[in-house]
Amino acid sequence: AALLPITPRILRRELAALYVGLATSTWDAEVAAGRVPSPVQITHGVKGWDRYDLDAWIEDRKAAQSSRPNTWDDV
C-alpha cells in the first residue's frame, strides 16, 4: 500500500485494521462481535473509525491488561 503523508482522522476498514495491527478478517470479526469502537457514518453508505476512538480503545485494553497479574512472574 502507498504511504500517506498524514494519518487521516477517519480510517476506513482496511486502514483501521492496519492501524491497530489486525488482519482485516480479524477486524471484521471484532466489529461483528462489538468488541471495537463503533464506526462513524461519514456519508450515506460510507463509514469509518475515528483514530482517536481507536487510540482510546487501545489504551483501555492496555490498562485492563496491566491490572491483571503477569503469570510469567510466578515462573
Side-chain angles (χ1 to χ4, degrees), residues 10-29:
I10 301 297
L11 305 174
R12 299 288 299 271
R13 174 181 164 263
E14 294 84 5
L15 282 179
L18 181 64
Y19 187 75
V20 300
L22 296 175
T24 52
S25 58
T26 303
W27 176 256
D28 292 342

Side-chain angles (χ1 to χ4, degrees), residues 45-58:
V46 177
K47 62 184 176 182
W49 284 263
D50 187 320
R51 185 169 37 95
Y52 297 159
D53 291 344
L54 296 177
D55 288 340
W57 175 74
I58 291 167

